Amino acid sequence: MPRAIRWEDVKRLLASIDRRSDLGKRDYAILVLLASYGLRAREIAALCLDDLDWKHAQVSIPMRKGGNSTRYPLSATAGEAVIEYLQVRRTDVVHRQAFLTVKSPYTPMQHATVSSMVGIRLRAAGIQVSRAGSHTLRHACVQHLVEANVPFKVIGDYVGHHNPASTLVYGKVALHKLRELVIATAEDVL
């Protein structure tokens, strides 16, 4: 079964972050990006300052799993969270990755660190999930889109799936959407 959490739990997770600290600002920005765009930990770790197009309010994800890239409109919430973090991010480092460790030598976060941070934050917020990590928020994002009746093809494009079957795994808990898909596929065959 997909390991999505309810959207109310995503909101609770975000509300649990103390954004007064540099660490809180960084983690909040990452969590908002993960939940809003269904990004993977690797995509967060690879996100560079140059991928943020403030003039056009867009964020580019150039290193998707399938080798493709995606450009998203930067939501006000995500943009504000990233700006809040960038205002406290170390500027005396040569790294262009957006998200850095908070302790010296201030190196780019690795994908395992991103995923681990999400698990720690989920547990601290009291949110129970079998395999807590960054993919929990990817699943929550997709599940939220499924519940909003967004077509599977659109969802697949949104999260960077090349193969439609990759998106169908998220439909396991949305039986009504699977029924629609099966009926539509059967009609095409007939």
Side-chain angles (χ1 to χ4, degrees):
M1 291 296 286
R3 56 182 184 235
I5 56 176
R6 297 173 306 145
W7 200 248
E8 294 78 29
D9 289 331
V10 172
K11 290 178 182 177
R12 196 172 86 199
L13 171 65
L14 294 174
S16 74
I17 307 299
D18 181 357
R19 295 165 46 194
R20 293 174 292 181
S21 70
D22 294 356
L23 177 64
K25 289 175 185 185
R26 184 202 67 186
D27 291 358
Y28 181 79
I30 290 171
L31 294 169
V32 167
L33 290 169
L34 289 168
S36 299
Y37 302 106
L39 300 178
R40 296 174 180 92
R42 287 186 187 279
E43 294 162 347
I44 291 291
L47 188 68
C48 290
L49 298 173
D50 300 326
D51 296 328
L52 298 159
D53 180 353
W54 299 107
K55 182 178 178 184
H56 297 102
Q58 296 180 334
V59 58
S60 295
I61 309 300
M63 302 175 70
R64 305 300 309 247
K65 184 177 178 181
N68 60 332
S69 63
T70 306
R71 182 176 288 269
Y72 295 102
L74 191 59
S75 72
T77 302
E80 289 168 14
V82 172
I83 287 171
E84 196 173 306
Y85 165 66
L86 291 177
Q87 289 174 337
V88 298
R89 179 192 178 273
R90 300 297 297 217
T91 56
D92 58 347
V93 294
V94 298
H95 306 291
R96 297 297 296 161
Q97 287 85 352
F99 297 104
L100 305 175
T101 58
V102 292
K103 294 183 181 177
S104 182
Y106 309 108
T107 58
M109 288 182 74
Q110 300 299 308
H111 68 90
T113 308
V114 171
S115 192
S116 175
M117 176 275 290
V118 176
I120 291 166
R121 293 292 191 169
L122 283 165
R123 285 186 289 281
I127 299 168
Q128 301 296 316
V129 62
S130 60
R131 291 171 39 206
S134 59
H135 248 60
T136 302
L137 295 179
R138 180 174 173 81
H139 283 262
C141 172
V142 172
Q143 192 61 40
H144 188 62
L145 295 172
V146 167
E147 290 168 1
N149 291 317
V150 175
F152 277 95
K153 169 71 172 120
V154 174
I155 294 170
D157 291 343
Y158 188 75
V159 297
H161 288 157
H162 279 299
N163 186 342
S166 299
T167 310
L168 292 180
V169 71
Y170 299 100
K172 288 181 180 178
V173 294
L175 295 177
H176 69 286
K177 293 297 285 180
L178 281 179
R179 283 188 190 100
E180 291 172 15
L181 185 66
V182 170
I183 290 170
T185 303
E187 288 173 356
D188 289 345
V189 172
L190 299 174

